[in-house]
Amino acid sequence: EGYKGMTAVAGVIKQRSVERKISPSDVCLQKYQFSCWNNKKISQLKNLLNVPQAEHAIFLAKNLDRIDREMLGFANHYYADYIKAPYWAKGKKPTMKIGKHLFFKL
């Protein structure tokens, strides 16, 4: 969803970090938290540093404290609307929608 979507996902990572009192890296590396990491090792994802979005992703990682989580309604979960809604989204109202991604505060 472009830079806006990337920034929103970074906001979710920051929110989970604050709520769980763990580092943003630990949030990202928790099993089954982000589908891009599922069943992969960090070494298998190094190619992502070569995509055009990598520069913005690195900027976001270095500037997590500057992301306005309030703008996202302090969302700590999200999913793409083209997949079956996860169990945790049942009966929940999204705090925001960016393109095809719905963001939630659980």
Side-chain angles (χ1 to χ4, degrees):
E1 307 296 349
Y3 292 155
K4 187 173 184 182
M6 290 174 70
T7 302
V9 170
V12 167
I13 293 167
K14 177 62 178 177
Q15 185 65 29
R16 289 183 186 183
S17 174
V18 169
E19 291 174 356
R20 298 173 185 179
K21 296 179 176 57
I22 59 176
S23 74
S25 293
D26 287 341
V27 168
C28 291
L29 294 174
Q30 284 183 314
K31 198 167 191 171
Y32 304 117
Q33 297 299 298
F34 297 94
S35 59
C36 68
W37 293 98
N38 289 351
N39 300 314
K40 293 182 182 137
K41 296 178 181 177
I42 292 174
S43 61
Q44 294 172 290
L45 299 168
K46 289 190 183 232
N47 64 312
L48 294 176
L49 294 173
N50 299 322
V51 300
Q53 302 88 340
E55 187 176 331
H56 188 64
I58 292 167
F59 172 83
L60 291 169
K62 290 180 178 179
N63 292 281
L64 275 180
D65 289 334
R66 295 173 56 193
I67 294 173
D68 182 6
R69 293 176 291 126
E70 185 174 1
M71 174 196 72
L72 295 169
F74 298 98
N76 53 16
H77 285 69
Y78 71 96
Y79 75 94
D81 67 3
Y82 51 83
I83 66 166
K84 180 181 175 188
Y87 72 91
W88 51 258
K90 186 175 182 177
K92 306 288 185 197
K93 183 179 177 184
T95 60
M96 174 176 271
K97 182 173 184 180
I98 299 174
K100 295 182 180 287
H101 288 80
L102 303 162
F103 292 81
F104 298 82
K105 170 68 175 157
L106 304 184

